[in-house]
Amino acid sequence: MKPVNKKAFLRLVGAFIAIFAITGGIYLVRSHSTSTPDYPSGEPGVELIVDIPQGATGSAIANILFTKGVVKSAAAFFALAVVDSRAAKIAPGSHRLNKHISARQALDQLLDSGRISNLIRITEGAWTDEVLLLMVKAGFSRNDLSNSLNQLRRPDGFSGNEGIFFPAQYSFGAGSSALVALQSMVNRFDQEVKAAGIYQGGDGFTAMQLLTIASIIQAEGDTSDFSKISQVIRNRLRLGMPLQLDTTVHYVTRTRGHVFLSTESTRTASPYNTYLHYGLPPGPIGNPGRAAMDAALHPAVGNWIFFITVKPGDTKFTDSNSQFLIWKSEYEKNLAAGAFGKTS
């Protein structure tokens, strides 16, 4: 019989111990994860209001839910939040939640916009006075909002109140001040404008000018046409042509949703009236979204200097004035036929 090699034997025993330890460890981890206290998904309990503060972490939200009796354990919700990317989209504010529900049901309810009290939805292109009106309807004082505008911390290179309130869905916890609410919108704008790349300026434009271009793009067309509209603006500026954009007049006259622009309106005295004044208006004409910001810095390649929406969803681009006039005639026929709905 061949003698046993003691060193080899010890290595073999050590390997078995290591394997046992690893598998045992895996078993213990699995056993712990499956035993994390969690309510079964089923009939929810009574409803209550749960406030999620601005900037709350996943662990903080988990503890709030446990303390309020929504979930059976903070660990159950936190474990789900770690693996479910949707958890990052939980909005601050007052949420209507049920007690005694599973961690997954709790996450679903937190993400349900219909369960958020005083939800403020800012649409792309909204004017700042429209944003403030939404906030008044949500319970904020007009006087507090007005005072807060003077205290805002604006990103370097940006001034005024138009264009800096990023379009998104917002909700704020009970007792949130007007300044905290407005500043959170500006902070979101700061993030988006930096991510879009227009914070530094570019293509010979300052950051504020790019934001102004983005606001015009947002107001002038559909997302699919944004990059072309961006190029039209550049082409006209380069050629020294007036922009002659209806939306800049609509901004001055506050005639949102009106397709038809009268000759009299084009004579409206305002530095924002691009029929009377050459170059860009002095500032944004609304609060643009991220797609419009991206298009402001990344125009499509083309020599277009005219564009017109001949009917809803059909915008045409050309560098030919005669072609533009043909399309304008088509637009006028569609306008008279009611294709655009409200026209005055």
Side-chain angles (χ1 to χ4, degrees):
M1 181 178 179
K2 186 176 181 180
V4 175
N5 185 317
K6 289 184 179 181
K7 290 184 179 180
F9 177 75
L10 289 174
R11 283 198 297 269
L12 183 62
V13 171
F16 275 111
I17 291 173
I19 292 171
F20 177 78
I22 292 170
T23 56
I26 291 172
Y27 172 76
L28 289 174
V29 170
R30 287 177 177 168
S31 174
H32 174 73
S33 65
T34 55
S35 64
T36 300
D38 193 10
Y39 290 117
S41 295
E43 192 66 29
V46 297
E47 193 173 82
L48 73 164
I49 300 297
V50 177
D51 285 327
I52 303 298
Q54 186 80 23
T57 62
S59 60
I61 294 173
N63 285 323
I64 291 170
L65 298 181
F66 170 66
T67 302
K68 292 289 188 178
V70 175
V71 295
K72 197 168 186 178
S73 71
F77 184 84
F78 183 68
L80 175 63
V82 168
V83 299
D84 193 324
S85 60
R86 296 182 304 152
K89 299 179 181 179
I90 296 174
S94 301
H95 297 252
R96 291 186 296 105
L97 305 177
N98 292 100
K99 296 186 73 172
H100 302 163
I101 56 178
S102 69
R104 184 161 296 282
Q105 285 177 301
L107 178 58
D108 289 341
Q109 289 191 3
L110 284 168
L111 295 172
D112 182 354
S113 61
R115 288 179 168 270
I116 304 178
S117 302
N118 295 327
L119 185 67
I120 299 172
R121 292 188 180 92
I122 301 177
T123 57
E124 288 86 352
W127 301 323
T128 291
D129 55 6
E130 292 173 325
V131 173
L132 297 178
L133 180 59
L134 288 175
M135 298 189 72
V136 169
K137 290 180 178 178
F140 291 95
S141 157
R142 288 183 183 273
N143 188 55
D144 288 346
L145 289 167
S146 179
N147 291 335
S148 297
L149 290 174
N150 298 322
Q151 303 174 52
L152 286 173
R153 299 186 309 276
R154 294 167 177 79
D156 291 340
F158 298 97
S159 59
N161 296 323
E162 200 69 73
I164 62 171
F165 298 104
F166 188 77
Q169 178 176 287
Y170 299 93
S171 178
F172 305 99
S176 295
S177 69
L179 179 58
V180 167
L182 289 175
Q183 190 64 59
S184 69
M185 297 177 185
V186 175
N187 292 346
R188 176 68 186 277
F189 162 79
D190 189 29
Q191 296 171 6
E192 297 291 341
V193 81
K194 286 177 179 175
I198 69 175
Y199 186 80
Q200 307 90 326
D203 290 348
F205 298 103
T206 66
M208 192 66 176
Q209 288 172 327
L210 286 172
L211 180 63
T212 299
I213 292 173
S215 71
I216 295 173
I217 293 168
Q218 185 75 69
E220 281 288 339
D222 297 328
T223 306
S224 58
D225 296 320
F226 278 0
S227 61
K228 286 185 175 181
I229 296 172
S230 180
Q231 181 66 359
V232 169
I233 293 170
R234 278 172 164 74
N235 288 342
R236 288 198 167 200
L237 291 173
R238 187 177 63 253
L239 293 171
M241 295 175 60
L243 292 181
Q244 294 187 329
L245 297 170
D246 292 4
T247 52
T248 62
V249 178
H250 291 157
Y251 176 70
V252 176
T253 58
R254 288 301 193 263
T255 49
R256 182 179 296 286
H258 293 221
V259 176
F260 179 72
L261 186 68
S262 66
T263 301
E264 182 181 357
S265 295
T266 64
R267 302 192 187 105
T268 302
S270 169
Y272 284 84
N273 184 348
T274 54
Y275 280 84
L276 290 181
H277 301 279
Y278 285 78
L280 290 170
I285 62 169
N287 292 280
R290 177 60 187 276
M293 290 182 182
D294 290 337
L297 193 56
H298 303 288
V301 177
N303 56 0
W304 317 287
I305 53 176
F306 302 103
F307 70 98
I308 187 169
T309 300
V310 296
K311 60 184 177 181
D314 186 7
T315 300
K316 299 180 182 296
F317 295 78
T318 183
D319 64 342
S320 165
N321 185 55
S322 59
Q323 179 62 72
F324 171 76
L325 293 176
I326 292 172
W327 286 338
K328 184 178 180 182
S329 176
E330 183 181 347
Y331 150 76
E332 290 170 345
K333 290 178 182 177
N334 289 332
L335 180 68
F340 290 92
K342 184 178 180 180
T343 60
S344 63

